[in-house]
Amino acid sequence: MNAVDRVELRRVFQMFDRNRDGKITKQELGDSLKDLGIFISDKELSQIMESIDVNGDGFVDIDEFGILYQTIENEQNEEEDMMEAFNVFDQNRDGFITFEELMSVLSLLGLKQGKAIEDCKKMIAIVDADGDGRVNFIEFKQMMKDGGFAALRSR
């Protein structure tokens, strides 16, 4: 983690550490989440605390918070990477990948599936959870988690 990230981490940590004692209690976490408009049950709050409190002392220190912070940052980076990949296929930027767009990209990549309309329609149909004949970003993310377009060819 670079110096800028550490400064940001400390700033965010201090938003949750209301009494500035260097540790976040379950109460502080719950109150801070409520202030952010996130209302969760006491049971969920306990589960969150248990998952963050690596050393099991009942508090979240800055190092434990840093692990959580890094996880969130990695997920955001993964989401951005996924959107970039989606945009490669979504050539007209309408938020959907059609079989024509899939065919075009696969052809540009020199893949034989890009030459067969039926192959592209079949790949779209496998991924198309809502049945509208095209792939939206949510469907694309699920497909990528399941192994990407390459995994579809083997089905």
Side-chain angles (χ1 to χ4, degrees):
M1 189 177 291
N2 64 39
V4 174
D5 289 340
R6 295 260 330 129
V7 169
E8 178 70 9
L9 170 65
R10 183 158 298 286
R11 188 182 67 74
V12 175
F13 180 81
Q14 288 173 346
M15 285 174 26
F16 287 87
D17 181 18
R18 293 170 171 232
N19 65 0
R20 303 281 189 259
D21 66 353
K23 53 192 174 190
I24 300 170
T25 64
K26 180 180 165 186
Q27 183 70 45
E28 287 173 321
L29 179 62
D31 290 346
S32 297
L33 290 174
K34 281 179 193 155
D35 288 349
L36 294 169
I38 302 169
F39 299 93
I40 59 174
S41 70
D42 192 55
K43 182 181 178 187
E44 289 172 310
L45 188 59
S46 294
Q47 290 170 338
I48 291 169
M49 278 297 290
E50 284 176 32
S51 67
I52 301 170
D53 180 19
V54 178
N55 66 9
D57 66 357
F59 303 101
V60 176
D61 62 32
I62 190 125
D63 293 328
E64 291 167 329
F65 195 76
I67 294 168
L68 173 67
Y69 186 79
Q70 196 65 46
T71 302
I72 292 168
E73 194 172 278
N74 290 344
E75 286 174 8
Q76 287 173 336
N77 290 341
E78 186 178 304
E79 184 87 3
E80 287 169 12
D81 291 346
M82 202 76 77
M83 183 53 87
E84 282 180 37
F86 180 80
N87 287 336
V88 168
F89 289 94
D90 181 19
Q91 296 174 327
N92 66 359
R93 299 292 189 268
D94 68 350
F96 301 96
I97 301 169
T98 62
F99 78 88
E100 294 95 345
E101 288 171 320
L102 177 60
M103 208 168 128
S104 172
V105 172
L106 294 179
S107 292
L108 285 171
L109 294 172
L111 299 172
K112 66 180 177 158
Q113 290 82 5
K115 295 183 177 98
I117 291 172
E118 287 310 310
D119 284 350
C120 291
K121 284 184 177 180
K122 194 186 305 179
M123 283 191 260
I124 293 289
I126 292 168
V127 178
D128 180 23
D130 64 11
D132 67 356
R134 49 197 187 163
V135 176
N136 63 37
F137 184 60
I138 293 167
E139 293 164 336
F140 181 81
K141 282 195 314 187
Q142 186 58 53
M143 178 209 52
M144 294 303 280
K145 288 178 183 169
D146 293 343
F149 282 116
L152 299 179
R153 294 196 303 261
S154 63
R155 290 185 188 178

